Structure formats: C-alpha cells, structure tokens
Amino acid sequence: MRRLFLLLMMFCTLPAWADNLDDLFAVAGWPEQRAHFNDALTAAQERYRNNLPPAVYQALVNNSSQRFAADAMDRRAKAQMRKHLPNPNPALAFFQSPLGRKIVAAELLATRRDQLAKYAQGLPRIEASATRQLLINHLSNALPAREAGAEVTLAIAGVAADSLSSMIPGLLGSGQSQSMLNGQRQRLMEQIAGELDNTLLFVYRDLSDPELEEFATFAESTDGRSYYQAALAAIRAGLAVGQSTSSLTQ
C-alpha cells in the first residue's frame, strides 16, 4: 500500500514539475534563442555555399537540419536541465519578475539576426563607472558566458567538418578530432573572456545599477548557480558539439 501511495504521489507531482520546467524554458527565452541560433546557422550555410562542392554542401544542410531540428534540440536540452536542476521554481520566479523579463529581453535583442549583422565588426566600447564595472565583473564571473559562447561557435563551425566526416569516414581519427576540439574550445573561451565585460556592459546597458546588482545577486546565489550550471549543461546537450550527427538519438 505504501508503494502504491508513493507511485500515486509521483504521478501527481511529476506533471507539475514538468510544467514548471516548460514554463522556465519559455520565460527564460530558450525557444527564441534557439531560433536565433538557427538564423546564425543559416547565415553560415550561405557562406559555405560558394566554397564547398555541391554534394558536400547538401550534406551540410541535411546534417544541420537533422542535428539542429527544434524538437530534438529541445528534447536534449530539457533532459539535461531536468537532470541538473532538481527544482526549477526559484529560477522560474526570478525570470517571471519584471527584472527577469527585462534581462531576457536584453539578451534576445543582442542575439537577433539584425543586431548580429549590425555589430559584426565588433561592439562599441562602453564607458562605465567603477561601481557599474564592478557589478559587471561579478556577472562575468557568475554567468557561463565564455563556455556557452564557445559551444555556439563550435556548433556552427562544426557542421562542415561533420558533413565531410559523414562522406569520408575516418577523415579525422576520434582522438585527433577530440584533441583539436578541446584546443579550439579553450582558445575561443580565452577570446571571449577578453571582451566579456564590455559585451555584458553593452547587452545589459538598459539595466540600472540597482538592477544589475539584483541580477548579480541572483546569479551568485545557490539558486542562480544551480540554474546557470544546468543551463550550460542544457546548451551543450542541445548543440551536441563533438558528436556525429548519426550518433544523436532523435
């Protein structure tokens, strides 16, 4: 009887948890960011069009469509979020707040196709007071921006290599390709770190100092760290950098 009661309790609570995770994904802007990523991917494919043989280019498009299908990306990302974030409610409450919505709006604006094109040559330098610079420094240490940025860049760049490997198996040995990938990841994180404070100053330029402080306080809290660690795991799972398209479970 006790086992039956526990099973009934699980069936009663798991759907509510799943709804909360779906709500967190929605209010934190994950679907829009995925769409922005696919915009960037499409732009990268167009750049490859004139530089690759037609068969390789078509393989690139086909592999990209399979690897980065919206449902598959969301499924992989949510599975990791579920694994690493036992309780989504604190993060959900934060991103549902007026400040949380303002933060998400700023992040979505920064990754829009037109904004990426506008600042393709680099962001303007942002002057900031010592107080604001300190707050941004707290954020840059708390947010996994270096790691996430490296994963996105590697995902977009990796589709061509994946397509070549699918047409010429064994082109790169697994040990060699993994070593190259780790080296590229580290170099990208170092490049991002060099501009991270200015990037965050630009992205969150419409937040007041008190709002930045509240944001940093959340990001550095136990609940904030739990969310951003789970978010990074979800990004890595969704993008599946370093995994062949054929190995992904659809």
Side-chain angles (χ1 to χ4, degrees):
M1 179 63 71
R2 180 178 298 176
R3 183 174 297 176
L4 176 61
F5 176 75
L6 289 174
L7 286 172
L8 288 172
M9 287 297 292
M10 287 175 65
F11 279 116
C12 289
T13 57
L14 284 177
W17 189 96
D19 287 345
N20 286 347
L21 182 67
D22 289 341
D23 289 344
L24 176 58
F25 259 65
V27 300
W30 286 75
E32 293 89 348
Q33 291 290 19
R34 173 177 35 73
H36 291 177
F37 167 80
N38 278 292
D39 286 342
L41 181 66
T42 300
Q45 290 175 345
E46 288 303 311
R47 290 195 296 271
Y48 285 127
R49 180 189 291 274
N50 296 323
N51 298 309
L52 293 174
V56 176
Y57 175 76
Q58 191 57 52
L60 180 152
V61 172
N62 293 341
N63 284 341
S64 299
S65 297
Q66 181 182 356
R67 172 186 288 271
F68 300 119
D71 289 346
M73 289 183 71
D74 286 352
R75 186 163 52 249
R76 295 193 298 264
K78 286 184 179 181
Q80 285 301 307
M81 183 73 79
R82 183 174 290 110
K83 179 179 178 180
H84 289 87
L85 190 65
N87 180 14
N89 290 327
L92 176 60
F94 178 77
F95 287 110
Q96 283 178 327
S97 71
L99 174 59
R101 294 182 184 279
K102 190 173 181 178
I103 289 166
V104 172
E107 293 169 349
L108 292 178
L109 173 64
T111 56
R112 246 174 34 192
R113 182 190 318 190
D114 62 322
Q115 295 296 299
L116 294 178
K118 182 177 181 180
Y119 298 108
Q121 302 305 313
L123 297 174
R125 305 303 301 180
I126 305 297
E127 298 296 327
S129 66
T131 297
R132 193 170 182 84
Q133 187 64 58
L134 180 61
L135 292 170
I136 285 293
N137 187 254
H138 277 276
L139 271 180
S140 68
N141 288 325
L143 302 180
R146 304 171 195 72
E147 297 86 348
E151 295 303 314
V152 171
T153 303
L154 288 171
I156 293 175
V159 293
D162 191 31
S163 301
L164 284 170
S165 296
S166 70
M167 298 185 70
I168 312 174
L171 180 64
L172 288 176
S174 59
Q176 180 184 7
S177 60
Q178 189 60 47
S179 176
M180 291 174 60
L181 183 65
N182 290 337
Q184 291 172 335
R185 181 178 282 115
Q186 185 59 40
R187 286 192 295 273
L188 284 168
M189 286 194 293
E190 290 171 358
Q191 292 171 7
I192 293 169
E195 291 294 322
L196 185 54
D197 279 10
N198 188 68
T199 299
L200 297 182
L201 280 169
F202 180 79
V203 171
Y204 302 119
R205 59 193 180 279
D206 292 333
L207 270 64
S208 66
D209 285 2
E211 288 173 331
L212 276 179
E213 184 174 10
E214 186 178 346
F215 184 16
T217 298
F218 169 73
E220 292 177 327
S221 70
T222 299
D223 290 331
R225 289 197 303 271
S226 295
Y227 169 72
Y228 284 112
Q229 288 170 4
L232 179 59
I235 289 169
R236 285 174 169 159
L239 297 174
V241 173
Q243 299 180 48
S244 67
T245 302
S246 60
S247 73
L248 298 177
T249 299
Q250 298 298 323

